[in-house]
Amino acid sequence: MTPPTAAKHLHPYIRSRAVPLTVASVVGIAATAAWTADWLEDRPYFDHTARVPVLALAPLLVTAAVGVGLYSHTEELDRTSVRPWWPRRLVHLLALTVLAGGLLALAVPGHPEAFGAPAMVRNVLGATGVTAAAAALLGARLSWLPMTLYGGAVYLAAPRAPGGAAAVWAWWMQPGPQVAAWVVAGVAFVTGVALYVRRGARPEDGRA
């Protein structure tokens, strides 16, 4: 497929998923996260751990924007297309994940051994996987809900000391070097992306 032909086929897909709006949302959230993280660190008696709220909230917001953006405004056309949709879904989701992870990593520079860029990237990956799976099972418009409920619950319940069993069930609130937290986030990402790429977002009319 020549570049002009590929662009011709991609343009309707990009418009039907409101990709420009999603990208703008991700950029805006990342800029706000960077300002907030810097402001928190400048408060008296705070250090880099003050960025934990940003580390928890920013990935939820960007993946919610990505998940809602998986909604198709042309479901009937998608079902009747002669071309497979999975390559477009895969490129779409991976490109937004890279954009979100990269921008949010820049929002929390320094202190990679704790709540810095590695932990932010891990949370973006895990949240993207959960959100993508929710889009396939619940629909794009509700895809933000499972990860938001989990993230909020873990933010309140996670122990202060990292590691142990909490590195698995509370991976969301672990510092960057926790291997178990990375494994859980990685499994969530691969599973969720694979499910979404294979099935697409659940039709909003309830049909599977």
Side-chain angles (χ1 to χ4, degrees):
M1 186 181 293
T2 63
T5 304
K8 179 180 178 182
H9 287 286
L10 281 175
H11 184 65
Y13 179 91
I14 291 172
R15 289 192 61 187
S16 70
R17 267 72 178 180
V19 173
L21 180 59
T22 303
V23 170
S25 299
V26 169
V27 172
I29 293 167
T32 303
W35 180 88
T36 304
D38 183 68
W39 181 83
L40 287 172
E41 279 200 281
D42 287 341
R43 298 305 91 194
Y45 310 111
F46 278 94
D47 58 13
H48 65 277
T49 59
R51 300 180 300 184
V52 170
V54 177
L55 193 82
L57 182 59
L60 289 180
L61 294 176
V62 295
T63 54
V66 170
V68 173
L70 300 179
Y71 174 76
S72 173
H73 296 275
T74 58
E75 286 182 2
E76 294 299 329
L77 291 177
D78 293 354
R79 297 190 190 107
T80 58
S81 174
V82 296
R83 295 182 178 276
W85 281 99
W86 73 262
R88 295 176 177 86
R89 293 176 187 143
L90 180 61
V91 172
H92 175 197
L93 194 53
L94 291 183
L96 290 177
T97 303
V98 170
L99 176 67
L103 290 179
L104 287 183
L106 294 175
V108 285
H111 306 290
E113 75 286 355
F115 297 102
M120 183 69 88
V121 171
R122 180 203 63 215
N123 282 5
V124 170
L125 291 176
T128 299
V130 174
T131 302
L137 299 175
L138 302 177
R141 288 173 173 170
L142 290 177
S143 61
W144 56 272
L145 185 58
M147 191 62 220
T148 299
L149 293 176
Y150 166 78
V154 170
Y155 182 80
L156 296 174
R160 289 181 176 269
V168 176
W169 69 265
W171 60 270
W172 185 251
M173 297 300 297
Q174 297 295 303
Q178 290 295 324
V179 175
W182 273 96
V183 171
V184 175
V187 170
F189 178 73
V190 172
T191 303
V193 170
L195 184 61
Y196 169 74
V197 167
R198 181 177 179 275
R199 298 185 56 175
R202 185 173 185 267
E204 298 295 323
D205 60 9
R207 286 177 288 180

